[in-house]
Amino acid sequence: MSDPLRLSPFTLGTFPPEEADVFTYDRDAQDIGIVHFGIGAFHRAHQAWYTDRAMECGDRNWAITGVSLRSGDVAHQMNPQEGLYTVTERAGEGSRTRIIGAVRDVLVAPHEPDAVIAALAAPATQIVSLTITEKGYCRAKDGGLDDRLATEDSVFHFLAKGLRRRHDAELPGLTLLSCDNLADNGRQLARLMGDYLAIHDAGLLGWFETACACPSTMVDRIVPATTQEDRRAVADELDGLHDAAAVFTEPFSQWVIEDRFAGPRPNWEAVGAELVDDVRPYEIAKLRMLNGAHSALAYLGLRRGHTFVHQAVADLALRPVIERLMRQEAASSFATAAGQDLNAYADALLSRFANPALNHRLLQIAMDGSQKLPQRWLETLAVHQKAGRSCPAILTAIGAWLVHVRGDNGPVDDPIAAALASAWADNGSDGIVAAVFGREGIIASDWEPSNDNINAVTAAL
Ligand code: NAI
Ligand code: CS2
């Protein structure tokens, strides 16, 4: 059987124009302004989608070079298509597809390290953005860099080499833009990069601190991992044209960015991004309410036999726990910005979770819990503990996470899965909470479980 016809600049005219929106700017006239590390589904449906539309509005020279730090899969999907791919928004019965032209090429860092460093050091490059997952930041328990994890395949190694080359060539610094779900992601990235330089290239530290900037961002768009069935659906829509790099998402999207760049930036606000002085109230609301509820739905939903978020959120046995977690425990744990309505936010989140057209797998969200729980649940618990208030919904969810990492729902996908398994083997149900949480626990946090907390989690186990 011959290979299916692939999406590319040469096949753009092969489907009827009403099937998809297509960029109209001249791709070949654009310089690469952004290097993006971790070119997974989320970047393609979020930052690259904003950048594509900014260029559609006339902004120039913000084309993107994607970098994969791990496998060559995305390069194999995108390079034969010269970087073109589709974003399909799904809601209810309807869907809308757009062909994105912003990504030019994808480099696979382990195979072509010099090309990655050259892209970072190119004079036209202004911004380096990141969606490398929470574990890609190589953090130690105290929030600083764990240098044993920051090996030559880490983002820090490449950034240090690229920044050194820029410095030596007397080029301007870069904006490093974390778009991962970490609290205060810009501040964390600045600290980790500084820690890395202090060990590996201390002479560059002063220049990094003055010439570069790491703004924080709040990023929000639900983007489930693409399946073969999804790829077939887009081929059906595009008259048989195959897109190996297709991504599927919801119509909703939000991007709040701290307006503190080292140099020029795209006109992202022209296409819906919000540039603000302080992202914290938005970011905390998102991490503790949306992501906090997501993780609770994942672990509790898997125990109840569900596969997708929309099934778990419709389960009447889970709904009160999720509502309480969002509206009472998370929403009362931080100071809001003027005009921020957290009840309306919770309503909107529940209806986004219920979107039946997005098959968002609970197992995808359940992955890497040890990296996610601190900003999603443990900070909320710590705030309420100081005020003497309890959080029964989060404690129930912690019980469900603990049995998940015991292996009750199948193989555990977490960078510290082995340490968690040993903690279970050594401590059993009676000791597991104290072994995992608290200042001395495997996952350090300011939440120090009280006896009442431990009893509540153990009851949930
Ligand atoms: P994905 O699985 O499609 O892509 C993940 C990317 O991270 C890949 O390029 C992978 O190679 C890289 N990566 C994985 N482990 C790494 C490591 N240890 N070091 C360096 N790179 C590593 O996932 P997706 O959907 O693109 O999400 C990535 C991140 O984006 C999430 O972890 C989250 O922080 C953020 N995000 C995702 C949203 C979503 O709905 N998918 C929405 C909001 C934020
Ligand atoms: C999810 C998030 O995978 C997860 O852990 O909670 O990626 C979530 O889909 C996004 O943050 C939504 O913006």
Side-chain angles (χ1 to χ4, degrees):
M1 213 175 75
S2 62
D3 285 343
L5 197 59
R6 289 278 286 273
L7 174 66
S8 81
F10 311 104
T11 54
L12 270 182
T14 60
F15 55 88
E18 64 276 11
E19 299 301 343
D21 300 324
V22 184
F23 61 90
T24 58
Y25 52 88
D26 179 2
R27 290 177 90 215
D28 295 332
Q30 312 292 334
D31 275 341
I32 307 283
I34 300 174
V35 175
H36 182 82
F37 281 89
I39 178 150
F42 179 55
H43 173 70
R44 306 207 292 279
H46 191 268
Q47 304 97 62
W49 174 81
Y50 281 93
T51 306
D52 179 74
R53 290 175 311 119
M55 292 201 284
E56 193 65 39
C57 293
D59 216 355
R60 287 291 169 266
N61 299 331
W62 293 112
I64 301 168
T65 282
V67 180
S68 288
L69 287 164
R70 294 282 176 272
S71 85
D73 293 353
V74 176
H76 288 132
Q77 292 164 353
M78 298 192 78
N79 287 339
Q81 302 180 180
E82 296 202 10
L84 296 190
Y85 67 96
T86 53
V87 172
T88 299
E89 294 175 9
R90 284 177 166 166
E93 296 298 298
S95 75
R96 187 72 212 156
T97 297
R98 176 173 174 84
I99 294 174
I100 306 292
V103 178
R104 288 316 303 257
D105 58 347
V106 177
L107 302 173
V108 185
H111 303 163
E112 41 198 339
D114 295 340
V116 174
I117 295 162
L120 293 169
T125 300
Q126 306 285 353
I127 294 172
V128 178
S129 49
L130 284 75
T131 51
I132 53 172
T133 79
E134 294 84 343
K135 61 183 174 291
Y137 290 79
C138 310
R139 290 171 300 164
K141 263 173 43 173
D142 68 356
L145 186 79
D146 184 339
D147 193 52
R148 290 164 309 175
L149 300 176
T151 48
E152 294 214 340
D153 57 2
S154 73
V155 74
F156 300 107
H157 167 78
F158 290 99
L159 285 173
K161 295 276 180 213
L163 291 175
R164 162 54 68 189
R165 203 176 287 177
R166 289 187 83 87
H167 168 273
D168 292 352
E170 296 183 5
L171 286 167
L174 293 171
T175 298
L176 309 186
L177 197 63
S178 168
C179 297
D180 277 296
N181 282 327
L182 301 172
D184 249 342
N185 50 13
R187 190 191 45 79
Q188 287 210 47
L189 177 59
R191 173 179 176 185
L192 294 161
M193 190 69 229
D195 286 356
Y196 186 90
L197 290 175
I199 299 167
H200 298 276
D201 191 354
L204 203 57
L205 196 51
W207 181 82
F208 168 66
E209 285 168 356
T210 52
C212 297
C214 301
S216 284
T217 63
M218 181 276 234
V219 287
D220 188 9
R221 192 170 216 192
I222 295 172
V223 191
T226 303
T227 63
Q228 281 303 350
E229 197 185 331
D230 293 328
R231 292 194 186 94
R232 277 194 292 275
V234 87
D236 286 347
E237 221 170 275
L238 300 182
D239 269 17
L241 198 60
H242 182 70
D243 175 12
V247 288
F248 296 80
T249 185
E250 57 181 341
F252 179 89
S253 186
Q254 191 175 12
W255 196 8
V256 189
I257 311 169
E258 186 186 359
D259 197 0
R260 197 169 53 78
F261 283 68
R265 61 167 173 80
N267 192 8
W268 283 317
E269 63 268 51
V271 288
E274 298 156 72
L275 277 294
V276 301
D277 291 336
D278 184 7
V279 303
R280 264 173 304 181
Y282 306 97
E283 179 203 59
I284 293 176
K286 195 255 171 174
L287 290 170
R288 296 188 193 169
M289 292 177 70
L290 187 160
N291 296 114
H294 246 180
S295 290
L297 283 165
Y299 303 117
L300 292 165
L302 286 167
R303 289 207 56 70
R304 303 256 314 153
H306 300 303
T307 305
F308 300 117
V309 172
H310 60 80
Q311 296 167 333
V313 79
D315 183 335
L316 296 181
L318 298 184
R319 187 72 173 223
V321 182
I322 301 304
E323 295 247 4
R324 186 187 158 94
L325 185 151
M326 281 202 283
R327 295 188 200 275
Q328 293 179 46
E329 299 175 7
S332 60
S333 69
F334 59 94
T336 50
Q340 203 178 9
D341 178 346
L342 297 184
N343 246 323
Y345 187 52
D347 291 341
L349 294 179
L350 288 167
S351 78
R352 288 170 61 199
F353 294 164
N355 184 346
L358 276 191
N359 280 333
H360 197 187
R361 286 183 183 276
L362 298 171
L363 274 175
Q364 181 181 353
I365 300 169
M367 200 173 73
D368 294 348
S370 66
Q371 308 286 305
K372 296 174 174 175
L373 265 44
Q375 58 275 18
R376 296 181 183 206
W377 295 346
L378 306 186
E379 287 175 9
T380 306
L381 284 169
V383 168
H384 287 303
Q385 182 166 56
K386 273 199 195 124
R389 291 187 294 258
S390 68
C391 295
I394 297 184
L395 295 176
T396 303
I398 285 187
W401 174 70
L402 284 170
V403 295
H404 179 80
V405 298
R406 186 170 63 188
D408 288 26
N409 300 324
V412 182
D413 192 345
D414 193 294
I416 62 159
L420 292 166
S422 308
W424 263 112
D426 295 346
N427 299 283
S429 297
D430 292 341
I432 189 70
V433 179
V436 174
F437 299 106
R439 276 172 214 102
E440 301 305 318
I442 301 175
I443 302 178
S445 77
D446 289 338
W447 172 56
E448 199 61 58
S450 64
N451 284 339
D452 283 352
N453 293 160
I454 292 174
N455 291 339
V457 177
T458 315
L461 290 176

